Amino acid sequence: MDKTHSTTPTKYFSDQLVTGSLSAAAVGLPEAVTLWNSGEACLAEHQVRSADAPTDSSTALVLDQATTTDAQHQLPSSIENIPVEVFQGIMWEVMQEVVQEWSSVKGYYADITRIRLVCRAWTGILEGMPEVWARLSPCMDERFLDLALSRSVHCPLVIKGRFLSSPALDKLLLHIYRWKDLDIMVYEPDVLDRIAVLSVPLLEKLGLHLGCSPRAILFNGSAPKLEIVHISSYGIQWATSALSNLRELVLLYISEGAPDVDTFLELLSHSPRLTRLQVWQTHLIRSPSPQTRVSLSHLEYLELDDLGHGVVKQLVESIDVPTSTRCLFGIALNDLETSLYEQLEPIGLRLSNLANVSRGTRSTLTLNFQIGELGDFKVSYEGDADQHGKLTTYGELTTDDETRPQIRLKIFEYFARRLGRTEPDPLPPILHIIMLGYGDSDESDSKILGKLCMHLPNTDEIQFEDPSPLSMENALNALFPSDLSSRLFPRLSTLTIRDAEDETWADWLLKRQERQDKQGGVDPLPLTTLKIEGGSLSAEKVEGLRKLVPNVDLDGVEVA
């Protein structure tokens, strides 16, 4: 550790001024004069006392003696008794919160400066912590960069910002053997090529936001400790040993220089311990017939979204992952009539596998009716974490408003049918239906519930989240008709209504009670539990619902 600016336990809260500190004015930090004047804050109270002190010498002598006596009996505060090493650990934990919110080097060091303002001792402690000064950027003032490089001593460096040809970049390249975490934007080919040919023995995490593709193999193919790689905008030369033994690989928005499917699968085969794989809006080139099959037995999260026609299908069929992996697949459904089920088939297979694994455990099938710019469909399947993972499927429906409900119905029925193909499950999945009725016709609400009941007739719990008032009424009418022998989901025992727009659903249930028993009695609903989450209800309606259902659970409901 660099001892130049460190403090020892005996000087932890001494009155000695910290010297050798570069002022904020010299490094261009915000609030320069105030934030980096370390001595004034601690001396402020003493200066006020001196200004108000009596001028009579005898009185001053008495006050001085009294002050000395008080000081002898004054016990140090608990924080003053903490050893420097312990206090440094506390300080580092505080700095971790700053790091999590770090969006720029300037903002990071502005927060450090505010901590320095507390007192001279804190200033000295910060200056004696090399790891605090190991976060750098080529956009920093050169004098401050020199200071930070000096104070960081031999600590591994975290570098963030835009790489441009500059003296600051030259200084950072002299310390490339210390680079540990690199998150940079590079738009100049010469700068990118200059970095690509260098060795990075300590580099563990790499984020590249590119304005061009490198003409050389990244890091000469050698980055022995590299584990996390995020690349966006432009591709690189993918046939490199630097991209091996990764734990995390993220490719985003790569429109030029993306690999073909076979090259990508070959790349994955060199990282069998991958735990996170995310490929989003990247133009992978579809292979005529993929030749490589990859097993990623440690994968925890897989996201494949908007990769072009047929690419998601090829990747899903070529990558073996555990059933505990959380999967998110996004598909743009353009040729709906001819390729809908073909595109959904690999996802349906994954869904069937999860259902088989989850037999006998409580699971949830979520249908999301959320409408985006073009209209999104989302389907997820989630169960106990120790049994199986979570599958989420969504896509854009590039169709007109009139055909959207029919396509949506086909999609949801498809997934329900895949789940229903397995042997009867002693614990059928909970149906979680989000935004029912928004963007669809009223008629489609009951059709979707009917199709779901056809394939999952033993469902005993349904959750409606954020439904439209009319669709909620249609759903209740299908679940609790006048003739209960014709109702959907005859085994339904638990109904959850979450974040309903208004109280009309409760009005409908109470009016149904009045219609069913005109003598003033109570005709209970065929439910064991009614869960109400969010929203508001009048106390009178809550009391009325309690007469209809044995158990009414309120969670976050405003009762007026």
Side-chain angles (χ1 to χ4, degrees), residues 99 243 316 320 346 527-528:
V99 169
L243 301 181
V316 171
D320 295 328
L527 285 176
T528 302

Side-chain angles (χ1 to χ4, degrees), residues 86-106:
V86 175
F87 194 75
Q88 284 179 332
I90 296 172
M91 188 77 75
W92 182 243
E93 290 301 318
V94 172
M95 293 307 303
Q96 296 314 296
E97 297 185 10
V98 176
V99 169
Q100 291 176 4
E101 300 177 359
W102 180 42
S103 59
S104 69
V105 171
K106 186 175 182 179

